[in-house]
Amino acid sequence: MSAKGDGSKLRQTMAVLTNVAHISAPFLSVFLIVHLSAPALANVGGSSLSSNVMLLGREYYQTSFGERYFLFMPLAAHVASSIAKRIINPRSASPRKITSTLSLAAYSTLLIFLPIHFYTHRVSPANPSPPIFAVGPSEMDYEFIKTGLARFPWRSWILYGGLVVSVMLHAVEGAQIIQASRFASRKFCMRPRTRKIVAGAAVVPILAGLWTLSKEPLMVFASLAERYEAAFARSWVYRI
């Protein structure tokens, strides 16, 4: 096969992978808006409002259908297509440098903050062995978050803060790329510094909400608080 034919197939493959990455992004954006609204709203309604919003959000992202097709599949498609682009054509201008804000935010989320967050908040609480005894969905509200902030403060702040900052930086950088490639308009083009300011503006109310939660007294039975703590302690990060 000619070099021209190889180049044409490579461009087609890269175009398909780019489309997959871009199409999956809105699903993840909706999840983030729903999921992160809960801690942000603690600024106006405390843990009670946050818990209520979280319970409503679960109807979108934590049902068997919603979690599979609105979260896990788009996330897998987004990650796989982006990694595949870098592997297939590492010298292309399309995959950003690994030291770019987009890439650093993506890999810190994917390799560090997201796995720890998922294990701590989903896998570990579901453990049926004592002393956790499988904390059920009805028992998992923002008192769990408050317990983590109270019992493991510096680790919780590093992990929550790192996750939120990384996700927001990646989301803003990615939105700029999609806007530029899909709409080819400079009208809404933001400079790198502006993009960081926008990401910071999104981070502030979320972390402020967590700060509000950390100042509330724990409103949970001692027995349940012990199960919460045991769930956190199953993660090696919380045993350091």
Side-chain angles (χ1 to χ4, degrees), residues 16-89:
V16 170
L17 292 173
T18 298
N19 286 333
V20 171
H22 289 184
I23 292 170
S24 59
F27 290 93
L28 301 177
S29 298
V30 172
F31 164 74
L32 289 176
I33 291 171
V34 173
H35 192 61
L36 295 178
S37 292
L41 287 172
N43 291 296
V44 295
S47 59
S48 176
L49 180 58
S50 293
S51 295
N52 289 335
V53 172
M54 180 187 69
L55 292 174
L56 289 173
R58 283 178 180 171
E59 297 301 316
Y60 169 77
Y61 64 79
Q62 207 165 311
T63 62
S64 58
F65 180 88
E67 190 166 59
R68 182 179 301 169
Y69 296 106
F70 295 156
L71 178 57
F72 288 154
M73 285 184 63
L75 178 61
H78 192 76
V79 171
S81 59
S82 300
I83 293 176
K85 286 175 64 177
R86 189 173 292 280
I87 293 173
I88 291 172
N89 195 10

Side-chain angles (χ1 to χ4, degrees), residues 31-166:
F31 164 74
L32 289 176
I33 291 171
V34 173
H35 192 61
L36 295 178
S37 292
L41 287 172
N43 291 296
V44 295
S47 59
S48 176
L49 180 58
S50 293
S51 295
N52 289 335
V53 172
M54 180 187 69
L55 292 174
L56 289 173
R58 283 178 180 171
E59 297 301 316
Y60 169 77
Y61 64 79
Q62 207 165 311
T63 62
S64 58
F65 180 88
E67 190 166 59
R68 182 179 301 169
Y69 296 106
F70 295 156
L71 178 57
F72 288 154
M73 285 184 63
L75 178 61
H78 192 76
V79 171
S81 59
S82 300
I83 293 176
K85 286 175 64 177
R86 189 173 292 280
I87 293 173
I88 291 172
N89 195 10
R91 296 184 180 181
S92 169
S94 182
R96 271 64 187 173
K97 291 181 179 180
I98 200 167
T99 54
S100 68
T101 301
L102 179 80
S103 296
L104 287 175
Y107 290 121
S108 62
T109 300
L110 181 65
L111 300 178
I112 301 173
F113 298 113
L114 184 58
I116 295 172
H117 184 79
F118 184 79
Y119 180 84
T120 304
H121 293 70
R122 289 293 304 277
V123 177
S124 183
N127 191 305
S129 62
I132 300 174
F133 297 109
V135 179
S138 63
E139 299 173 301
M140 281 290 290
D141 57 16
Y142 266 77
E143 292 301 320
F144 182 81
I145 307 298
K146 288 166 58 178
T147 299
L149 291 168
R151 301 290 190 262
F152 310 95
W154 67 267
R155 280 162 286 199
S156 294
W157 277 110
I158 290 174
L159 293 172
Y160 287 137
L163 179 60
V164 172
V165 169
S166 296

